Amino acid sequence: MPTLTIERPSHWMTREKAYRLFINGQPLGTIKDGETLQFNLEPGNHILKTDIDWLRSHTMVFEVKARENKVLQVAGARYGFLLLPFYLLCLLAWFVLQKFMEIDYFILWGAHLFLYILIMFSILFRKKRYVREVEMG
């Protein structure tokens, strides 16, 4: 019987939450941060969807053959882990430049405003593409 292995790499932004897994529209279970799960499947085409709270993945269609081990990886936004630290770094730089150098840099205002808009855009308008699945083999 074919097996499906689902891996979830550790990610600091969502480490407290479990992703819910759905195969062919049916709940399969949940996967926690850094966890790897294995499931037995029937041979053929299958559809995988995942979600975490109100953020979802796109629909991934994959095929498993008899006696095959399909490995998929579920993870959060590709560069999401960079947005918050960079945003905080911009705020810190703005604060230091304004407070200690007595200079108000509008470029830093623009940079952190742009990053804030980018974060809000990814959360609000890309919520159905937050979780991504990658076929590993």
Side-chain angles (χ1 to χ4, degrees), residues 23-95:
I23 292 284
N24 303 325
Q26 300 300 317
L28 187 61
T30 60
I31 186 166
K32 296 178 182 174
D33 190 52
E35 194 173 33
T36 299
L37 300 176
Q38 269 195 332
F39 302 98
N40 292 325
L41 293 177
E42 295 295 323
N45 289 329
H46 297 280
I47 300 169
L48 173 69
K49 287 190 77 129
T50 57
D51 70 22
I52 183 169
D53 292 333
W54 56 284
L55 301 169
R56 295 176 186 79
S57 69
H58 65 285
T59 301
M60 181 178 199
V61 179
F62 64 96
E63 179 183 4
V64 288
K65 299 174 183 161
R67 287 180 246 151
E68 178 185 18
N69 182 22
K70 181 70 78 174
V71 180
L72 301 176
Q73 186 181 76
V74 296
R78 182 168 292 158
Y79 302 111
F81 68 96
L82 293 174
L83 290 176
L84 185 60
F86 189 68
Y87 177 70
L88 293 175
L89 185 66
C90 285
L91 283 177
L92 179 66
W94 174 81
F95 176 76

Side-chain angles (χ1 to χ4, degrees), residues 11 75-82 126 129-134:
H11 192 254
R78 182 168 292 158
Y79 302 111
F81 68 96
L82 293 174
R126 294 185 53 87
R129 292 180 161 223
Y130 180 78
V131 181
R132 61 187 166 90
E133 296 92 0
V134 180

